Amino acid sequence: MYLRKVDYTNRITLPSKICEKFHIKKDDQVEVSHNDEYILIKKYQPEFVCAITGKITDRGNKIGNAFISDEGLELIRQAIEKKKD
């Protein structure tokens, strides 16, 4: 657990270890929401960002909780074929 003070403009600073763990860098956007008990902070990801290439595209498939572009699927296929050799 990390303890942070809220500054005079109601801001907090996220601990660097948390930023590293969730790959949050300067100028990244985060989503802030809440429920009855907690404030939730989540790194913002546009809906169609490929989990493999990191590129934004609408051509691909949702697999589990991840969106994988056609290009990402091809990279996976190539990696599997290479591993078979």
Side-chain angles (χ1 to χ4, degrees):
M1 180 171 89
Y2 300 92
L3 185 61
R4 293 290 188 259
K5 285 187 178 182
V6 176
D7 75 9
Y8 67 96
T9 62
N10 295 324
R11 293 181 297 188
I12 60 165
T13 302
L14 295 175
S16 59
K17 293 220 184 269
I18 289 177
C19 290
E20 289 168 11
K21 177 177 177 146
F22 292 98
H23 308 287
I24 298 172
K25 301 176 297 302
K26 181 183 179 298
D27 295 327
D28 282 350
Q29 293 182 320
V30 294
E31 297 177 33
V32 180
S33 59
H34 66 89
N35 61 26
D36 290 338
E37 294 184 51
Y38 300 102
I39 298 169
L40 307 168
I41 300 172
K42 177 181 173 184
K43 182 176 179 180
Y44 174 71
Q45 293 286 356
E47 187 174 347
F48 297 113
V49 174
C50 177
I52 305 301
T53 66
K55 296 177 183 176
I56 298 173
T57 179
D58 60 355
R59 296 183 47 114
N61 295 294
K62 187 95 168 163
I63 300 174
N65 291 329
F67 174 79
I68 303 178
S69 67
D70 292 346
E71 179 184 356
L73 290 170
E74 179 61 21
L75 289 171
I76 292 169
R77 188 194 64 72
Q78 290 172 6
I80 291 169
E81 288 298 318
K82 194 174 192 180
K83 195 161 188 138
K84 287 181 181 178
D85 295 340

